[in-house]
Amino acid sequence: MACSKPEKKELSISDFETKIKSDMDYYSMVETFGKPSKDIGRGIHIYVYELKDSTKMLVGFTDKVLYAKQINRKEEIVKDLLVGN
C-alpha cells in the first residue's frame, strides 16, 4: 500500500482576497491556505505563499496577520490586501 502525500493547495489571489483576516492565528492560516513555502522574516514572520500565476503572497505575522502583499517576480508589490489593523 502506497502512502499518498497530501496535495499542495493551488492558491490564487482570490483565495487571499476572500479568506484572509487580520485576526487569523497561524493554525487557521495553515488550515485555510496550507503551510507557507518559507518564512523570510526577521523580527516578525513573513510567510511566503506561491500562487498559481507565478506571483507570491507575503503575509507579515506576529500573533495575528499584520499585512498581506502580492508580489511579482521582480518583487514589486502588485496588490496590498491588509494594511495594518
Side-chain angles (χ1 to χ4, degrees), residues 34-51:
K35 286 191 175 184
S37 58
K38 55 185 151 181
D39 179 356
I40 59 171
R42 289 184 160 200
I44 68 165
H45 295 283
I46 302 173
Y47 297 122
V48 178
Y49 286 93
E50 310 279 336
L51 304 183

Side-chain angles (χ1 to χ4, degrees), residues 9-35:
K9 293 185 180 192
E10 275 214 353
L11 297 168
S12 68
I13 185 64
S14 64
D15 292 317
F16 285 90
E17 289 172 328
T18 59
K19 297 175 185 168
I20 197 158
K21 306 285 183 241
S22 61
D23 62 351
M24 290 180 110
D25 63 16
Y26 178 77
Y27 298 104
S28 58
M29 261 188 11
V30 169
E31 186 176 300
T32 305
F33 306 113
K35 286 191 175 184

Side-chain angles (χ1 to χ4, degrees), residues 13 16-17 20 57 67-70 79-83:
I13 185 64
F16 285 90
E17 289 172 328
I20 197 158
M57 182 60 62
Y67 64 82
K69 297 175 189 238
Q70 181 187 23
K79 191 168 213 175
D80 266 325
L81 295 184
L82 295 172
V83 181

